[in-house]
Amino acid sequence: MEDKRFLLLTIFLALLLFVTGLFSLLLGQVHFPLSSFLKLFGGKSGSFRTIVLDIRLPRFLLAASVGAMLSISGMILQTVFRNPLVDPYFLGVSSAAELGASVAILFGFGATLFGFSMVSLFAFVFALALVFFLVRIIRFVHVEYSRIAVVLIGIAIAYVLNAVNTLLISFKKDIFLESMFWSMRGFNSASINEFWFSTPFLIVGIIFALLKSKQMNIFLSSDITAHSLGISVKRFICLMLCVSALLSSVSAVLAGTVIFVGLFVPHVGRMIVGEDRFKLSITTLLLGAIFLPAFDLIARTIIPSQEIPVNTIASLVGAPFFVFLFFKRGNNGLFKG
Amino acid sequence: MDYLKVENLYFAYEKNKKYVLCGLNLAVNRNGIYVLLGRNGSGKTTLLKILIKYLLPQKGTVLIEGEDLSKISLPELSKKVSFLESEIPYIPLTVSEILSWGMFPYKRHFDAREVSSELNLSGLLSENFNNLSTGEKKRVLLGRLFVQKTKIVLIDEPFNFLDPYYKLEIAEMLKTLSRERIVFITTHDLGVAANLGSEVFLIHQGKIFARKTQNDLFSGNELYEVFGINEKLKEEFIRFYKLG
């Protein structure tokens, strides 16, 4: 895509993000007339002000941030593996996070640290530990086998983690509901602090993606080409895995396991702007920040006085939309780049 | 001083396995096209991969401008030695993007148009690499080496899968490239070796078996020995390659 068209697209997506935000603030289980929305900036406090600024705004911001992080994380992983079927949980990050959550619940760690429950912190630590372990493995194998080693060992570990998790649950049944609730909680308890917590990670993620976009482009060709151009392939794989895992772990801590977005948003981005990693990073970031709040908005408004898990909406709405896009732009889409 | 010097190089892919390269020596100091000619599995590609540090030798030294290869960092090395693999990778990007890789990691302004008109690639700049024909892809990939401007250029099997037209084009590009550079190509194609190389290194049993020029490639017995052509087959061989 030419630079000029790309700039227009970026402006359009930014506007779309703004509109999504506006709708997220306006719509919800409690209905307000539009006029009261305009009065919001008058400074008077009231139930409407509380609902919009303390509940809906943090919820929108957090969903946008998590959507953006997961999308960038997915794009980075798809680049490392040169495989369009990879998603942020490919390496078992979510299994590790869920086990961490179960362990915290089992031992009844109810305390909070900096506003985060121990459950979330355990999940975070478990997820990161898994990735650092995987990254160490890469040292011991030749470049050409590094990906397959990471994937196979990642999957093997995920099986073990899942089995341990099941074991814990079978010892104490009530963990099951609680950990399931934790991993599927979505954004209904979002706070502005959680959003602020996510921003540094999001910023690091996008800066990394933009700074390393040239390397990622070169990476699309072959390891030996990247190597001959002066890129240390193993080190770069490790770096990308770490950044990607950091983003998906933070997302898991803030919103549980959010499926689908990290896999499909990068593809929507590729269908629109192509494979150039600089443009794709920006587009993917914006699309992620639009799609997830939009799914969340649908999840909390489509059935009156009933909230549907955001994952359900992401699958029910996102998947058909993706298939539609694929057939519309298929020739330039998934497989041909 | 030799620009490139390889001394007593040993390499095996696995411990305690047969050495692919055993005691290989080689020295080059003039610009030109150097052909590494040998049978499949003779270690031609392995040698190139060692020269870019993609593989590490068990024994021996490589000196580039007198500097030990093992002490040269990868980014530094990419300014001295460039490499093109034999396979054509799947690259879903534009031609101008791929040409710009020759400048990596410099942030200097890169004008793809300048290079492309020189290389006759102007019409392709905004094309998606994957949509090009094999011959065009090869030209683009070689074009990147022109941008990279290293003194040593290593190209693995540049003529694989090319039709006669593109073979000639690639040969022309290689000749241009070699005016200011030391260009190594690997091949098992005698036609290529006989017509393109300023010098031909016959690589056999992990060593440089003989160093030949275009003129004396077919004289002597070394070539036949390398390719396992015995006296009985030799006549047929000469007829087949129209050497008689």
Side-chain angles (χ1 to χ4, degrees):
Chain A
M1 182 178 270
E2 301 140 42
D3 294 352
K4 212 173 183 179
R5 279 183 63 201
F6 175 68
L7 189 68
L8 286 176
L9 174 80
T10 306
I11 293 169
F12 171 74
L13 289 178
L15 283 175
L16 201 59
L17 175 61
F18 182 74
V19 171
T20 313
L22 220 53
F23 275 105
S24 301
L25 299 187
L26 265 176
L27 303 175
Q29 302 289 359
V30 188
H31 293 284
F32 294 101
L34 201 60
S35 58
S36 63
F37 192 70
L38 295 172
K39 278 186 219 151
L40 189 69
F41 304 100
K44 268 189 241 159
S45 59
S47 65
F48 176 64
R49 194 184 161 84
T50 310
I51 287 176
V52 169
L53 293 185
D54 294 346
I55 298 175
R56 289 184 191 167
L57 182 66
R59 186 165 182 159
F60 162 71
L61 290 175
L62 186 66
S65 179
V66 167
M69 283 194 290
L70 283 177
S71 308
I72 295 280
S73 168
M75 184 207 72
I76 292 174
L77 269 196
Q78 287 171 5
T79 309
V80 180
F81 289 102
R82 293 193 197 104
N83 186 333
L85 302 174
V86 172
D87 82 344
Y89 307 118
F90 186 59
L91 298 175
V93 169
S94 63
S95 304
E98 278 163 26
L99 178 63
S102 294
V103 168
I105 294 166
L106 178 71
F107 290 108
F109 295 139
T112 57
L113 200 65
F114 310 121
F116 289 99
S117 68
M118 285 310 261
V119 178
S120 295
L121 287 174
F122 262 67
F124 187 54
V125 170
F126 270 60
L128 283 188
L130 170 72
V131 174
F132 287 127
F133 178 73
L134 288 178
V135 163
R136 289 192 68 84
I137 288 169
I138 293 182
R139 283 193 191 182
F140 301 106
V141 292
H142 188 260
V143 177
E144 281 169 16
Y145 309 112
S146 55
R147 288 180 188 78
I148 195 85
V150 166
V151 172
L152 283 178
I153 294 177
I155 290 172
I157 293 172
Y159 271 109
V160 174
L161 295 176
N162 285 338
V164 174
N165 200 12
T166 315
L167 208 62
L168 289 185
I169 287 168
S170 69
F171 281 135
K172 208 174 167 190
K173 299 274 188 301
D174 41 333
I175 301 178
F176 179 65
L177 266 183
E178 210 173 323
S179 78
M180 197 172 100
F181 178 74
W182 181 86
S183 72
M184 286 183 59
R185 73 191 185 287
F187 302 100
N188 55 25
S189 58
S191 72
I192 197 77
N193 280 343
E194 286 181 313
F195 168 69
W196 290 124
F197 173 77
S198 75
T199 48
F201 297 101
L202 178 61
I203 292 169
V204 166
I206 185 64
I207 289 178
F208 172 84
L210 292 177
L211 283 181
K212 300 291 181 188
S213 58
K214 196 65 156 185
Q215 276 99 319
M216 285 199 267
N217 275 349
I218 293 173
F219 229 69
L220 288 175
S221 64
S222 69
D223 285 352
I224 198 162
T225 301
H227 176 97
S228 76
L229 287 166
I231 299 171
S232 168
V233 175
K234 273 191 189 183
R235 201 179 305 162
F236 195 61
I237 291 179
C238 293
L239 187 64
M240 301 226 286
L241 288 182
C242 287
V243 172
S244 167
L246 192 66
L247 294 176
S248 54
S249 308
V250 171
S251 304
V253 169
L254 294 173
T257 309
V258 177
I259 55 168
F260 202 64
V261 175
L263 172 70
F264 113 114
V265 169
H267 283 302
V268 177
R270 295 161 81 198
M271 289 180 198
I272 302 173
V273 294
E275 297 271 3
D276 177 70
R277 262 29 188 184
F278 187 84
K279 289 170 182 158
L280 186 58
S281 297
I282 294 171
T283 309
T284 299
L285 174 91
L286 287 168
L287 285 173
I290 292 167
F291 271 111
L292 196 53
F295 290 150
D296 187 49
L297 179 64
I298 298 171
R300 65 191 168 85
T301 54
I302 194 159
I303 301 174
S305 68
Q306 169 79 46
E307 210 172 281
I308 303 168
V310 65
N311 278 343
T312 313
I313 295 298
S315 307
L316 281 180
V317 179
F321 176 70
F322 183 59
V323 173
F324 163 76
L325 259 189
F326 178 74
F327 280 110
K328 204 153 171 264
R329 302 219 20 145
N331 194 34
N332 201 13
L334 259 179
F335 305 110
K336 290 184 94 178
Chain B
M1 186 180 63
D2 295 312
Y3 199 89
L4 171 71
K5 191 166 189 179
V6 177
E7 280 175 331
N8 201 28
L9 204 63
Y10 280 82
F11 179 84
Y13 277 91
E14 279 172 61
K15 270 180 203 161
N16 307 322
K17 286 275 168 70
K18 194 180 146 248
Y19 280 110
V20 181
L21 302 178
C22 46
L24 185 137
N25 293 293
L26 185 153
V28 170
N29 53 20
R30 275 209 319 262
N31 293 340
I33 299 178
Y34 297 89
V35 179
L36 293 168
L37 181 68
R39 298 175 74 163
N40 296 115
S42 58
K44 309 182 290 281
T45 306
T46 306
L47 176 61
L48 298 193
K49 285 181 177 172
I50 289 172
L51 295 181
I52 56 165
K53 287 177 86 169
Y54 195 69
L55 297 173
L56 300 176
Q58 275 84 12
K59 228 167 96 181
T61 49
V62 176
L63 301 173
I64 292 169
E65 284 179 289
E67 199 180 346
D68 192 337
L69 180 67
S70 62
K71 302 222 162 58
I72 304 176
S73 74
L74 280 187
E76 264 179 83
L77 187 63
S78 71
K79 313 275 179 309
K80 297 173 189 286
V81 183
S82 54
F83 173 83
L84 189 59
E85 63 193 309
S86 62
E87 290 88 9
I88 294 174
Y90 171 96
I91 313 175
L93 296 165
T94 61
V95 169
S96 69
E97 168 65 22
I98 292 169
L99 290 177
S100 79
W101 293 356
M103 303 292 282
F104 181 82
Y106 294 124
K107 296 283 187 291
R108 259 186 294 155
H109 177 69
F110 170 69
D111 192 357
R113 275 168 301 182
E114 210 173 285
V115 192
S116 58
S117 64
E118 194 185 318
L119 297 173
N120 219 352
L121 292 168
S122 303
L124 302 177
L125 279 185
S126 55
E127 290 283 326
N128 188 327
F129 178 79
N130 283 339
N131 299 342
L132 303 179
S133 74
T134 305
E136 284 172 325
K137 282 179 183 167
K138 206 79 199 182
R139 275 175 52 204
V140 172
L141 294 173
L142 268 176
R144 191 255 294 167
L145 301 179
F146 279 83
V147 181
Q148 208 173 341
K149 289 199 170 72
T150 56
K151 180 75 177 168
I152 299 175
V153 179
L154 313 172
I155 307 174
D156 194 14
E157 302 278 5
F159 297 99
N160 266 5
F161 312 118
L162 296 181
D163 68 22
Y165 173 83
Y166 278 110
K167 269 190 183 168
L168 284 178
E169 276 219 351
I170 296 299
E172 278 312 309
M173 283 178 91
L174 292 177
K175 279 179 196 161
T176 316
L177 201 59
S178 69
R179 271 185 220 132
E180 292 165 13
R181 300 171 181 83
I182 294 168
V183 179
F184 274 94
I185 64 171
T186 68
T187 189
H188 43 250
D189 184 327
L190 293 177
V192 168
N195 293 304
L196 201 61
S198 13
E199 261 188 81
V200 180
F201 295 94
L202 285 173
I203 186 163
H204 186 50
Q205 291 169 341
K207 291 187 178 69
I208 301 296
F209 191 69
R211 207 168 158 162
K212 295 275 194 179
T213 62
Q214 282 185 23
N215 301 327
D216 68 359
L217 179 64
F218 296 105
S219 55
N221 223 5
E222 294 98 334
L223 181 74
Y224 306 105
E225 208 170 314
V226 165
F227 284 95
I229 310 289
N230 57 25
E231 282 302 317
K232 222 170 102 192
L233 279 170
K234 199 167 165 180
E235 234 170 80
E236 199 180 325
F237 183 85
I238 287 171
R239 210 175 331 114
F240 189 83
Y241 284 98
K242 298 199 171 27
L243 299 173

